[in-house]
Structures are given as C-alpha cells and as structure tokens.
C-alpha cells in the first residue's frame, strides 16, 4: 500500500514544509487539487461533500498545480505529486501537454496526472468550452498528451481537436501516469479503458465497495482490448487510518490511500497552524505507515 498526504486550501507558505515532512515521514505521494475560479452566481452542486454546497471554496487559496508542483519538487527528492484532479476538458490539450511534461521533467518523473471533467458547469461557461462534449474532449486530450509526452512528432485529427504535426521538448524519460477521477459509470469505464488508474473522490463511504466492484467489472471487460498493465487505485476511506483497515483495502485491490487530517469542506479560512499539521501527518506515519 502507498500513502498520499492531502492538504489544500491552506496558507501557501505551508506547502513546502509539509511536503518535506511528508517525504521524511514515509508518505509516497502528495495530492494537489485543482480549482480555476469561484463564480459569484452558480447553480452547480458538488457531488462529493454531504450537502452538495460549494461555499467552502470561496476565498480559499488555490494554487495552480503546474506552478505548485515544481516548487515542491525542488524541496523534495522522492515524493510523487498527484493532481486531484486537473479539469482537462476546459484546457487546451497542447498547452496541458506542455505544462505536464515540463512539470514531470522538473520533478524527475514524479508527476502523476489525475484528470477529470469538473463538476462545475461554470468552469466551462467562463472559459468558453462546450459542456455537452466534455467526455470526448477528455478522451482526445489524453491521446494528445500521451502522444506529445512520448517525444517525436504527433499529428491528431479528431472530432474535437485538430493538431498538425508538432513535437515538444523536453519530455520526461518515463511515461506520465494518467489516472481518471469520477464516480459515474462513464468515468469508471474511461479509467478501465484509457487510464493507468482510478481516483476516488470521497463521498458516502457506503458507495466505495460498489464503485470498486464496478471498476473491476469494467476492467475485466476492457482486458481484451489492452495488454496487462499496472493499474493504480487511489481511494479515500476511514479504513486507511488503521493498520487492519489498510489490509482490508488491499484485499479489495486498492493500491493507494489518500489521507488528510482536517475537514476540507468547512467554510471560512483554515486556521490550523503549521505545527499542528506537521504533528498530525507525523503521528499517522508512526501509527500506520510504519506498521504496514
């Protein structure tokens, strides 16, 4: 089992010390969320917190992941950084490929690209992108990203994007893992068909076994189309906070658990001091990571 440390919407000056401490304590990864803007007027609901409200995001400090990750990579040497998740369809895929490959190069192949479609329709509206074809945009974007990240020229002529023969440099020496986020069957199928793994978004704990079973079924269906490959399964679960619970998750095929130590959906600023955050991540490492 691998362990990912989650901290977000906090004082930006905390991230460097937290990343260093997480690496020293034995965590494998740190998850880095993505949020573009906060519209004054919105109807969208958030699918992963209990009441669907989005007020917890207002005025929270959200750093752009391809800016933050290289800074954290510079103060660590082993820790992976997993975007959780980048809202791909609202981005130009060639620009996304340039950002991702540069970040992977600067961190020595320590970028894991978690991707999704975004639950916020307002992200699409403000950036002038069609909401209805977001799934097709994501599929084509993944193909363009992988093609450009592999080096050499890529030419892509799809339903959404038309890219002439281009290449970018530098590119990382290893493929960038692409993990698909989302709980809908479309997301689970996409993960099984295209992804190097799946990212669970939280929500009702009772849903996780059902999601894992659906994912396993879609992976079996997709197995005939692809050669066997390593597949990462990242989840949020209270079982991750005990040694016995970690073993139960392993038995269900989970490869990575995401752990955090404060309720992320509270409205208002994060008032927890850096010292308490450091104590919490180290305490968990001693109680669970060191014993698994």
């Amino acid at each position: 089992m691998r362990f990912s440390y989650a901290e977000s919407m906090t004082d930006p000056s905390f991230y460097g010390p937290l990343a260093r401490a997480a690496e020293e304590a034995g965590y494998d990864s740190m998850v880095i969320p993505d949020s573009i803007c906060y519209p004054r007027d919105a109807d969208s609901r958030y699918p992963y917190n209990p009441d669907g409200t989005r007020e917890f995001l207002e005025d929270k400090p959200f750093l752009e992941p391809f800016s933050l990750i290289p800074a954290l990579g510079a103060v660590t040497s082993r820790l992976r950084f997993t975007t959780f998740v980048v809202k791909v369809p609202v981005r130009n895929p060639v620009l996304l490929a340039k950002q991702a490959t540069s970040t992977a190069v600067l961190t020595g192949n320590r970028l894991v690209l978690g991707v999704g479609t975004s639950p916020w329709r307002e992200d699409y509206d403000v950036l002038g992108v069609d909401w209805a074809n977001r799934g097709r945009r994501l599929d084509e974007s993944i193909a363009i990203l992988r093609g450009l990240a592999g080096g050499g020229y890529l030419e892509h002529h799809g339903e959404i994007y038309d890219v002439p023969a281009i290449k970018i440099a530098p590119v990382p020496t290893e493929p960038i893992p692409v993990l698909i986020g989302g709980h809908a069957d479309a997301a689970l199928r996409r993960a099984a068909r295209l992804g190097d793994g799946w990212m669970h978004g939280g929500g009702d704990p009772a849903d996780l076994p059902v999601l894992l079973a659906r994912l396993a079924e879609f992976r079996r269906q997709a197995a005939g189309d692809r050669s066997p490959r390593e597949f990462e399964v990242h989840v949020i679960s209270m079982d991750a906070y005990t040694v016995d619970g970690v073993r139960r998750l392993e038995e269900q095929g989970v490869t990575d658990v995401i752990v955090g130590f404060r309720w992320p959906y509270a409205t208002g600023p994060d008032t927890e001091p850096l010292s308490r955050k450091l104590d919490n991540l180290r305490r968990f490492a001693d109680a669970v990571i060191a014993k698994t």
Side-chain angles (χ1 to χ4, degrees):
M1 183 68 75
R2 291 180 298 228
F3 295 85
S4 294
Y5 172 61
E7 181 60 86
S8 63
M9 300 176 284
T10 193
D11 185 330
S13 69
F14 289 1
Y15 284 109
L18 289 170
R20 288 193 299 269
E23 181 171 85
E24 292 166 0
Y27 293 80
D28 301 279
S29 304
M30 186 169 178
V31 296
I32 307 296
D34 178 39
S35 183
I36 295 170
C37 62
Y38 187 88
R40 186 189 63 189
D41 303 311
D43 297 321
S44 297
R45 292 178 62 80
Y46 189 63
Y48 303 122
N49 65 345
D51 58 9
T53 60
R54 59 196 307 276
E55 284 77 10
F56 70 93
L57 287 168
E58 187 168 11
D59 295 328
K60 292 291 179 63
F62 247 108
L63 295 178
E64 196 279 322
F66 298 118
S67 301
L68 176 58
I69 292 172
L72 300 183
V75 297
T76 56
S77 60
R78 178 189 57 79
L79 201 67
R80 298 200 308 172
F81 299 99
T82 305
T83 57
F84 189 42
V85 294
V86 168
K87 299 166 177 60
V88 168
V90 300
R91 289 171 161 84
N92 178 281
V94 175
L95 180 57
L96 173 65
K98 185 63 178 178
Q99 293 172 309
T101 53
S102 295
T103 300
V105 168
L106 287 171
T107 57
N109 300 307
R110 290 187 282 144
L111 172 67
V112 179
L113 197 63
V115 302
T117 58
S118 175
W120 312 126
R121 185 166 186 154
E122 291 77 14
D123 286 343
Y124 292 77
D125 294 341
V126 75
L127 293 170
V129 177
D130 185 18
W131 166 264
N133 62 15
R134 61 195 181 280
R136 294 192 298 277
R137 285 180 178 273
L138 177 54
D139 289 350
E140 289 193 31
S141 294
I142 292 171
I144 293 167
L145 167 73
R146 283 185 168 143
L148 289 173
Y153 285 97
L154 168 81
E155 187 172 353
H156 177 91
H157 305 289
E159 179 183 349
I160 307 295
Y161 299 110
D162 194 75
V163 180
I166 59 170
K167 64 180 175 181
I168 59 177
V171 295
T173 57
E174 299 175 8
I176 300 172
V178 177
L179 313 182
I180 312 296
H183 293 185
D185 277 0
L188 297 173
R189 286 194 182 96
R190 182 173 288 111
R193 178 171 50 90
L194 295 179
D196 300 301
W198 173 67
M199 297 198 77
H200 175 228
D204 188 341
D207 292 340
L208 180 57
V210 176
L211 292 168
L212 291 173
R214 295 289 287 164
L215 176 65
E217 176 58 27
F218 291 138
R219 288 185 65 198
R220 284 191 290 270
Q221 294 173 8
D225 301 328
R226 298 188 59 170
S227 58
R229 69 198 192 282
E230 182 180 352
F231 192 88
E232 302 185 17
V233 178
H234 296 228
V235 308
I236 298 170
S237 171
M238 289 305 297
D239 269 349
Y241 294 85
T242 67
V243 173
D244 288 343
V246 167
R247 292 183 180 132
R248 286 193 293 271
L249 291 171
E250 284 181 317
E251 291 170 357
Q252 297 175 73
V254 173
T255 63
D256 296 71
V257 290
I258 301 167
V259 295
F261 307 104
R262 69 181 177 89
W263 180 242
Y265 302 121
T267 57
D270 173 22
T271 59
E272 186 177 63
L274 176 60
S275 59
R276 186 178 303 166
K277 295 181 187 297
L278 293 170
D279 287 344
N280 287 337
L281 75 84
R282 289 166 178 154
R283 188 177 300 112
F284 174 84
D286 291 339
V288 179
I289 296 178
K291 298 179 181 178
T292 57

PDB file of all heavy atoms in Angstrom, residues 161-179:
ATOM      1  N   TYR A 161     -10.553  18.052 -31.616  1.00  0.00           N
ATOM      2  CA  TYR A 161      -9.281  18.747 -31.798  1.00  0.00           C
ATOM      3  C   TYR A 161      -8.617  18.347 -33.101  1.00  0.00           C
ATOM      4  O   TYR A 161      -8.641  17.171 -33.499  1.00  0.00           O
ATOM      5  CB  TYR A 161      -8.334  18.444 -30.627  1.00  0.00           C
ATOM      6  CG  TYR A 161      -8.864  18.897 -29.291  1.00  0.00           C
ATOM      7  CD1 TYR A 161      -9.282  17.968 -28.334  1.00  0.00           C
ATOM      8  CD2 TYR A 161      -8.949  20.248 -28.977  1.00  0.00           C
ATOM      9  CE1 TYR A 161      -9.767  18.385 -27.099  1.00  0.00           C
ATOM     10  CE2 TYR A 161      -9.445  20.672 -27.748  1.00  0.00           C
ATOM     11  CZ  TYR A 161      -9.849  19.739 -26.819  1.00  0.00           C
ATOM     12  OH  TYR A 161     -10.331  20.141 -25.600  1.00  0.00           O
ATOM     13  N   ASP A 162      -7.994  19.319 -33.727  1.00  0.00           N
ATOM     14  CA  ASP A 162      -7.219  19.089 -34.948  1.00  0.00           C
ATOM     15  C   ASP A 162      -5.830  19.691 -34.727  1.00  0.00           C
ATOM     16  O   ASP A 162      -5.678  20.913 -34.620  1.00  0.00           O
ATOM     17  CB  ASP A 162      -7.903  19.758 -36.147  1.00  0.00           C
ATOM     18  CG  ASP A 162      -7.329  19.274 -37.460  1.00  0.00           C
ATOM     19  OD1 ASP A 162      -7.628  18.147 -37.857  1.00  0.00           O
ATOM     20  OD2 ASP A 162      -6.561  20.049 -38.083  1.00  0.00           O
ATOM     21  N   VAL A 163      -4.851  18.807 -34.604  1.00  0.00           N
ATOM     22  CA  VAL A 163      -3.497  19.239 -34.278  1.00  0.00           C
ATOM     23  C   VAL A 163      -2.569  18.840 -35.424  1.00  0.00           C
ATOM     24  O   VAL A 163      -2.475  17.653 -35.762  1.00  0.00           O
ATOM     25  CB  VAL A 163      -3.015  18.586 -32.953  1.00  0.00           C
ATOM     26  CG1 VAL A 163      -1.604  19.049 -32.613  1.00  0.00           C
ATOM     27  CG2 VAL A 163      -3.973  18.913 -31.810  1.00  0.00           C
ATOM     28  N   PRO A 164      -1.884  19.785 -36.042  1.00  0.00           N
ATOM     29  CA  PRO A 164      -0.921  19.437 -37.089  1.00  0.00           C
ATOM     30  C   PRO A 164       0.285  18.728 -36.481  1.00  0.00           C
ATOM     31  O   PRO A 164       0.424  18.634 -35.258  1.00  0.00           O
ATOM     32  CB  PRO A 164      -0.535  20.799 -37.665  1.00  0.00           C
ATOM     33  CG  PRO A 164      -0.699  21.744 -36.516  1.00  0.00           C
ATOM     34  CD  PRO A 164      -1.900  21.230 -35.754  1.00  0.00           C
ATOM     35  N   ALA A 165       1.154  18.231 -37.303  1.00  0.00           N
ATOM     36  CA  ALA A 165       2.334  17.511 -36.823  1.00  0.00           C
ATOM     37  C   ALA A 165       3.229  18.459 -36.022  1.00  0.00           C
ATOM     38  O   ALA A 165       3.795  19.413 -36.557  1.00  0.00           O
ATOM     39  CB  ALA A 165       3.101  16.917 -37.994  1.00  0.00           C
ATOM     40  N   ILE A 166       3.320  18.203 -34.716  1.00  0.00           N
ATOM     41  CA  ILE A 166       4.139  19.032 -33.827  1.00  0.00           C
ATOM     42  C   ILE A 166       4.863  18.114 -32.840  1.00  0.00           C
ATOM     43  O   ILE A 166       4.494  16.954 -32.643  1.00  0.00           O
ATOM     44  CB  ILE A 166       3.291  20.047 -33.031  1.00  0.00           C
ATOM     45  CG1 ILE A 166       2.238  19.324 -32.167  1.00  0.00           C
ATOM     46  CG2 ILE A 166       2.642  21.069 -33.961  1.00  0.00           C
ATOM     47  CD1 ILE A 166       1.524  20.233 -31.176  1.00  0.00           C
ATOM     48  N   LYS A 167       5.879  18.668 -32.210  1.00  0.00           N
ATOM     49  CA  LYS A 167       6.519  17.988 -31.097  1.00  0.00           C
ATOM     50  C   LYS A 167       6.932  19.036 -30.075  1.00  0.00           C
ATOM     51  O   LYS A 167       6.995  20.235 -30.378  1.00  0.00           O
ATOM     52  CB  LYS A 167       7.719  17.159 -31.537  1.00  0.00           C
ATOM     53  CG  LYS A 167       8.879  17.939 -32.130  1.00  0.00           C
ATOM     54  CD  LYS A 167       9.997  16.976 -32.522  1.00  0.00           C
ATOM     55  CE  LYS A 167      11.136  17.704 -33.225  1.00  0.00           C
ATOM     56  NZ  LYS A 167      12.219  16.756 -33.625  1.00  0.00           N
ATOM     57  N   ILE A 168       7.173  18.598 -28.849  1.00  0.00           N
ATOM     58  CA  ILE A 168       7.599  19.488 -27.784  1.00  0.00           C
ATOM     59  C   ILE A 168       8.840  18.913 -27.130  1.00  0.00           C
ATOM     60  O   ILE A 168       9.100  17.697 -27.189  1.00  0.00           O
ATOM     61  CB  ILE A 168       6.486  19.708 -26.731  1.00  0.00           C
ATOM     62  CG1 ILE A 168       6.048  18.380 -26.107  1.00  0.00           C
ATOM     63  CG2 ILE A 168       5.292  20.417 -27.342  1.00  0.00           C
ATOM     64  CD1 ILE A 168       4.991  18.550 -25.015  1.00  0.00           C
ATOM     65  N   ALA A 169       9.625  19.781 -26.515  1.00  0.00           N
ATOM     66  CA  ALA A 169      10.822  19.363 -25.805  1.00  0.00           C
ATOM     67  C   ALA A 169      11.050  20.334 -24.644  1.00  0.00           C
ATOM     68  O   ALA A 169      10.745  21.521 -24.759  1.00  0.00           O
ATOM     69  CB  ALA A 169      12.022  19.352 -26.750  1.00  0.00           C
ATOM     70  N   PRO A 170      11.540  19.819 -23.499  1.00  0.00           N
ATOM     71  CA  PRO A 170      11.889  18.417 -23.272  1.00  0.00           C
ATOM     72  C   PRO A 170      10.656  17.596 -22.897  1.00  0.00           C
ATOM     73  O   PRO A 170       9.609  18.164 -22.569  1.00  0.00           O
ATOM     74  CB  PRO A 170      12.845  18.495 -22.080  1.00  0.00           C
ATOM     75  CG  PRO A 170      12.327  19.672 -21.296  1.00  0.00           C
ATOM     76  CD  PRO A 170      11.850  20.669 -22.331  1.00  0.00           C
ATOM     77  N   VAL A 171      10.819  16.278 -22.947  1.00  0.00           N
ATOM     78  CA  VAL A 171       9.782  15.383 -22.459  1.00  0.00           C
ATOM     79  C   VAL A 171      10.406  14.488 -21.391  1.00  0.00           C
ATOM     80  O   VAL A 171      11.619  14.263 -21.389  1.00  0.00           O
ATOM     81  CB  VAL A 171       9.179  14.524 -23.587  1.00  0.00           C
ATOM     82  CG1 VAL A 171       8.449  15.412 -24.595  1.00  0.00           C
ATOM     83  CG2 VAL A 171      10.230  13.681 -24.285  1.00  0.00           C
ATOM     84  N   PRO A 172       9.602  13.966 -20.466  1.00  0.00           N
ATOM     85  CA  PRO A 172      10.159  13.126 -19.396  1.00  0.00           C
ATOM     86  C   PRO A 172      10.706  11.812 -19.936  1.00  0.00           C
ATOM     87  O   PRO A 172      10.327  11.352 -21.015  1.00  0.00           O
ATOM     88  CB  PRO A 172       8.966  12.903 -18.467  1.00  0.00           C
ATOM     89  CG  PRO A 172       7.763  13.113 -19.326  1.00  0.00           C
ATOM     90  CD  PRO A 172       8.147  14.147 -20.331  1.00  0.00           C
ATOM     91  N   THR A 173      11.586  11.211 -19.179  1.00  0.00           N
ATOM     92  CA  THR A 173      12.202   9.941 -19.587  1.00  0.00           C
ATOM     93  C   THR A 173      11.312   8.748 -19.312  1.00  0.00           C
ATOM     94  O   THR A 173      11.628   7.635 -19.744  1.00  0.00           O
ATOM     95  CB  THR A 173      13.542   9.747 -18.864  1.00  0.00           C
ATOM     96  OG1 THR A 173      13.327   9.806 -17.443  1.00  0.00           O
ATOM     97  CG2 THR A 173      14.529  10.838 -19.262  1.00  0.00           C
ATOM     98  N   GLU A 174      10.208   8.947 -18.580  1.00  0.00           N
ATOM     99  CA  GLU A 174       9.245   7.892 -18.310  1.00  0.00           C
ATOM    100  C   GLU A 174       7.845   8.396 -18.649  1.00  0.00           C
ATOM    101  O   GLU A 174       7.582   9.603 -18.575  1.00  0.00           O
ATOM    102  CB  GLU A 174       9.293   7.462 -16.836  1.00  0.00           C
ATOM    103  CG  GLU A 174      10.637   6.902 -16.394  1.00  0.00           C
ATOM    104  CD  GLU A 174      10.671   6.593 -14.905  1.00  0.00           C
ATOM    105  OE1 GLU A 174       9.584   6.675 -14.254  1.00  0.00           O
ATOM    106  OE2 GLU A 174      11.768   6.305 -14.385  1.00  0.00           O
ATOM    107  N   PRO A 175       6.919   7.501 -19.020  1.00  0.00           N
ATOM    108  CA  PRO A 175       5.540   7.940 -19.276  1.00  0.00           C
ATOM    109  C   PRO A 175       4.921   8.571 -18.033  1.00  0.00           C
ATOM    110  O   PRO A 175       5.197   8.158 -16.903  1.00  0.00           O
ATOM    111  CB  PRO A 175       4.818   6.638 -19.654  1.00  0.00           C
ATOM    112  CG  PRO A 175       5.899   5.711 -20.095  1.00  0.00           C
ATOM    113  CD  PRO A 175       7.107   6.053 -19.274  1.00  0.00           C
ATOM    114  N   ILE A 176       4.083   9.579 -18.235  1.00  0.00           N
ATOM    115  CA  ILE A 176       3.352  10.190 -17.137  1.00  0.00           C
ATOM    116  C   ILE A 176       2.116   9.345 -16.851  1.00  0.00           C
ATOM    117  O   ILE A 176       1.257   9.196 -17.724  1.00  0.00           O
ATOM    118  CB  ILE A 176       2.924  11.624 -17.492  1.00  0.00           C
ATOM    119  CG1 ILE A 176       4.135  12.504 -17.799  1.00  0.00           C
ATOM    120  CG2 ILE A 176       2.098  12.229 -16.354  1.00  0.00           C
ATOM    121  CD1 ILE A 176       3.779  13.878 -18.333  1.00  0.00           C
ATOM    122  N   PRO A 177       1.991   8.768 -15.650  1.00  0.00           N
ATOM    123  CA  PRO A 177       0.766   8.008 -15.349  1.00  0.00           C
ATOM    124  C   PRO A 177      -0.459   8.911 -15.396  1.00  0.00           C
ATOM    125  O   PRO A 177      -0.439  10.026 -14.861  1.00  0.00           O
ATOM    126  CB  PRO A 177       1.014   7.478 -13.930  1.00  0.00           C
ATOM    127  CG  PRO A 177       2.493   7.568 -13.726  1.00  0.00           C
ATOM    128  CD  PRO A 177       2.944   8.745 -14.521  1.00  0.00           C
ATOM    129  N   VAL A 178      -1.516   8.439 -16.034  1.00  0.00           N
ATOM    130  CA  VAL A 178      -2.764   9.192 -16.147  1.00  0.00           C
ATOM    131  C   VAL A 178      -3.845   8.426 -15.397  1.00  0.00           C
ATOM    132  O   VAL A 178      -4.194   7.296 -15.774  1.00  0.00           O
ATOM    133  CB  VAL A 178      -3.174   9.405 -17.615  1.00  0.00           C
ATOM    134  CG1 VAL A 178      -4.504  10.132 -17.698  1.00  0.00           C
ATOM    135  CG2 VAL A 178      -2.088  10.179 -18.365  1.00  0.00           C
ATOM    136  N   LEU A 179      -4.356   9.029 -14.325  1.00  0.00           N
ATOM    137  CA  LEU A 179      -5.404   8.419 -13.514  1.00  0.00           C
ATOM    138  C   LEU A 179      -6.707   9.166 -13.760  1.00  0.00           C
ATOM    139  O   LEU A 179      -6.719  10.392 -13.807  1.00  0.00           O
ATOM    140  CB  LEU A 179      -5.058   8.475 -12.021  1.00  0.00           C
ATOM    141  CG  LEU A 179      -3.640   8.057 -11.607  1.00  0.00           C
ATOM    142  CD1 LEU A 179      -3.507   8.131 -10.086  1.00  0.00           C
ATOM    143  CD2 LEU A 179      -3.308   6.663 -12.105  1.00  0.00           C
TER     144      LEU A 179
END
